[in-house]
């Protein structure tokens, strides 16, 4: 892999590949498992990284909780391709898109890799700031009572005039 890849919105034919990529990380306890059917239902939330031959290299979803609160979800890159910038470009593309679409927003993630997000301008915060997330997803998580994830947030607000 020479580092050549493109980002694009996910398509229906990507759903099973995304599910397979996420499943590998889910078995390690890093991400929540998601079925191809679930991914298809939320397909508009996904962006994928693909190589010139169209092979899926990575993915990420952004979930909108309303009130300008959004979450980075299902961020995954093929293990052998980590550290070449795919994850960074997926997150930065989401931030750029949100800056164009919204006056202000708060983009958060629950992660085992807070340093990755801090390098992209996120700051560590308390998980309890996101009750929407806790009640929706955490209730189904096997780590619910022993969560080891760290909350990070990127806040964009209009510059003071």
């Amino acid at each position: 892999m020479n580092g050549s890849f493109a980002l694009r919105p996910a398509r229906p034919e990507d759903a099973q590949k995304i599910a397979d990529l996420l499943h590998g990380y889910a078995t390690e306890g890093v991400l929540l498992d998601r079925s191809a059917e679930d991914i298809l239902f939320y397909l508009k939330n996904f962006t994928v990284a693909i190589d010139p031959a169209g092979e899926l290299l990575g993915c990420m979803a952004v979930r909108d909780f309303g009130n300008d609160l959004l979450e980075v979800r299902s961020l995954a890159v093929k293990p052998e391709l980590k550290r070449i910038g795919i994850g960074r470009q997926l997150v930065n593309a989401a931030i750029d898109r949100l800056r164009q679409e919204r006056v202000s927003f708060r983009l958060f993630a629950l992660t085992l890799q807070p340093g990755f997000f801090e390098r992209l301008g996120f700051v560590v915060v308390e998980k309890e700031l996101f009750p929407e997330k806790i009640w929706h997803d955490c209730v189904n998580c096997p780590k619910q009572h022993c969560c080891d994830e760290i909350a990070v947030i990127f806040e964009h607000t209009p510059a003071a005039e």
Side-chain angles (χ1 to χ4, degrees), residues 66-132:
N67 296 321
D68 290 322
L69 179 65
L70 303 107
E71 178 193 15
V72 171
R73 298 171 56 95
S74 302
L75 175 59
V77 173
K78 283 187 161 188
E80 66 273 19
L81 299 177
K82 284 183 176 180
R83 304 202 184 281
I84 66 166
I86 295 171
R88 176 178 39 82
Q89 286 199 32
L90 283 162
V91 174
N92 282 335
I95 290 170
D96 290 344
R97 186 178 68 251
L98 290 169
R99 281 183 171 141
Q100 292 173 8
E101 296 172 355
R102 298 168 182 257
V103 173
S104 63
F105 64 88
R106 296 170 298 143
L107 180 64
F108 78 93
L110 296 182
T111 181
L112 297 172
Q113 303 293 326
F116 166 81
F117 286 96
E118 288 176 302
R119 288 188 293 278
L120 299 176
F122 288 70
V123 295
V124 173
V125 293
E126 295 296 320
K127 283 186 280 247
E128 291 71 25
L129 290 176
F130 312 112
E132 302 91 341

